[in-house]
Amino acid sequence: MNVLKAALSAIAGCAAALIAYSILFVRGDLGGVMTYLRARGALRRLKEGGTPDQITAAQAQLHALGQQVGDPAFAAATLPLALLTGVLIGALVWWVFTRRQTRAPRPDIQERMVYRLAHRRGGRFTLDDLRAASPLNDEQARAVTARLLDLGRLTRDGDTFRLS
């Protein structure tokens, strides 16, 4: 599981760093990016049926628009900020998965498993039924049935449990 957690954290961190760098590269000007993409599409269509002079002029205009929208010097200067963003997002993903793995299973979820099984079996079940039909192990099954017996929600008839 640690390999998956590390891989997911690394992927999320790299993606966040790349997105942050992209935003910094265009200085947050999404309208400029869309204008550039429309001009590039127009150039592609022009290449199919335009004259060489028109294509050269459109390429020059596209290059000038690209220089206007993107700022490589600013993006290079703020690269540490983009990398820091990636590291923070990767650490956050790692922390979320670690926190989720280390906490104990919630008892209400286990109780709902028992209730569902009991309702499917007509209100009666055994520990063997519970182990076979749920992801609970032996110890968890005994603990949840004991807790429900203490709360008065189950009654015991030998090896069989019945909803109260």
Side-chain angles (χ1 to χ4, degrees), residues 25-76:
F25 187 84
V26 296
R27 297 178 309 268
D29 183 15
L30 185 60
V33 172
M34 298 309 287
T35 303
Y36 177 82
L37 291 174
R38 280 192 295 273
R40 193 175 79 175
L43 174 63
R44 188 174 300 139
R45 286 188 300 278
L46 186 62
K47 284 183 179 179
E48 294 173 359
T51 64
D53 291 338
Q54 289 175 329
I55 293 172
T56 304
Q59 285 175 337
Q61 182 182 6
L62 183 64
H63 181 70
L65 186 58
Q67 293 296 324
Q68 184 181 7
V69 171
D71 190 357
F74 179 71

